[in-house]
Amino acid sequence: MPDVPTVTELVDRLLAGPDPADIVQAGHPVLRRPALRYDGQLDDAVLADLLALMRRTMHAAPGVGLAAPQIGIPLAIAVLEDPGARDSEVADLRERPALPYRVLVNPRYAPVDDERATFYEGCLSVRGWQAVVARHRRVHLTGQDETGRELDEVVSGWPARIVQHETDHLLGTLYVDRAEMRSLVTDDGIGAALASEPTPATAARVLGFDAG
Ligand code: NI
């Protein structure tokens, strides 16, 4: 049997490969296994190179979050960055301000209360589709940042959606596992038009689901 590569070997190979990195798609088992807790397995310089590559790959996609398993690295690390919604009505309704670049290491989240926010979202590893997900509107985020500093904060609105989506990736969960599947649309034509509405009210009416 061939030797299974270690995490450091995987990262070395990735850093020697395409830039931006290739994003693995649904069906790759790495997206379905819980990521390994990050516990200093990488040298500081290698971690910095990995994070920079993740950020470039997220920008190039373009996306607003990227988890390490999405580029084939089974470590509990994710990068987030969102310029925010351009349209101010959309920004208000979706509570989507700009989210500055940040790194989550070994993140966990817990709902603060019962409130949900119901909007379309997509995933760079489920290319070409979007669906409605009712996410916790506010979550308590714990874990670390890339320097090892402990995180303990409440995140709300769209940033809370991104935190939940990326943390789920690190647990082997994809957004489609939590989506209202009657809302599923392709990323072009009528589907793109429905998903870009400020709220999913029209999609709920014409596709036949409850937008909450
Ligand atoms: Ni995703």
Side-chain angles (χ1 to χ4, degrees):
M1 230 174 89
D3 286 342
V4 176
T6 65
V7 161
T8 52
E9 285 166 349
L10 285 173
V11 172
D12 287 345
R13 274 186 218 169
L14 178 80
L15 292 174
D19 187 343
D22 294 329
I23 297 176
V24 301
Q25 296 297 305
H28 193 307
V30 73
L31 294 173
R32 289 311 200 171
R33 288 191 293 257
L36 302 168
R37 182 180 168 76
Y38 182 70
D39 217 358
Q41 293 94 328
L42 306 177
D43 292 343
D44 286 352
V46 174
L47 175 62
D49 286 349
L50 173 62
L51 292 172
L53 178 62
M54 288 174 69
R55 191 179 184 192
R56 288 194 298 275
T57 302
M58 170 176 70
H59 286 167
V64 297
L66 187 79
Q70 293 183 271
I71 51 173
I73 304 300
L75 287 174
I77 299 173
V79 295
L80 325 179
E81 186 173 9
D82 183 8
R86 270 167 299 174
D87 181 288
S88 63
E89 184 194 2
V90 173
D92 284 352
L93 281 165
R94 298 190 184 183
E95 300 180 284
R96 189 170 181 175
L99 172 66
Y101 172 71
R102 65 180 301 181
V103 177
L104 304 183
V105 174
N106 305 320
R108 287 287 188 273
Y109 68 82
V112 170
D113 52 36
D114 291 338
E115 269 196 71
R116 298 267 179 165
T118 302
F119 292 107
Y120 271 96
E121 68 181 71
C123 177
L124 299 176
S125 293
V126 189
R127 198 181 289 140
W129 301 92
Q130 295 185 73
V132 162
V133 186
R135 294 281 186 188
H136 303 296
R137 185 168 170 225
R138 278 181 288 270
V139 293
H140 182 205
L141 168 65
T142 53
Q144 294 92 44
D145 71 7
E146 69 274 38
T147 70
R149 186 177 64 92
E150 292 293 330
L151 303 177
D152 184 350
E153 60 188 277
V154 170
V155 184
S156 63
W158 205 270
R161 176 172 299 269
I162 300 171
V163 162
Q164 291 169 79
H165 181 118
E166 300 310 325
T167 302
D168 283 356
H169 267 301
L170 301 175
L171 299 169
T173 295
L174 297 175
Y175 85 96
V176 289
D177 301 341
R178 303 190 186 283
E180 162 55 62
M181 291 311 283
R182 284 195 69 102
S183 72
L184 188 70
V185 296
T186 55
D187 229 351
D188 55 13
I190 194 169
L194 287 173
S196 65
E197 294 269 311
T199 76
T202 304
R205 193 175 68 248
V206 299
L207 300 179
F209 64 91
D210 182 359

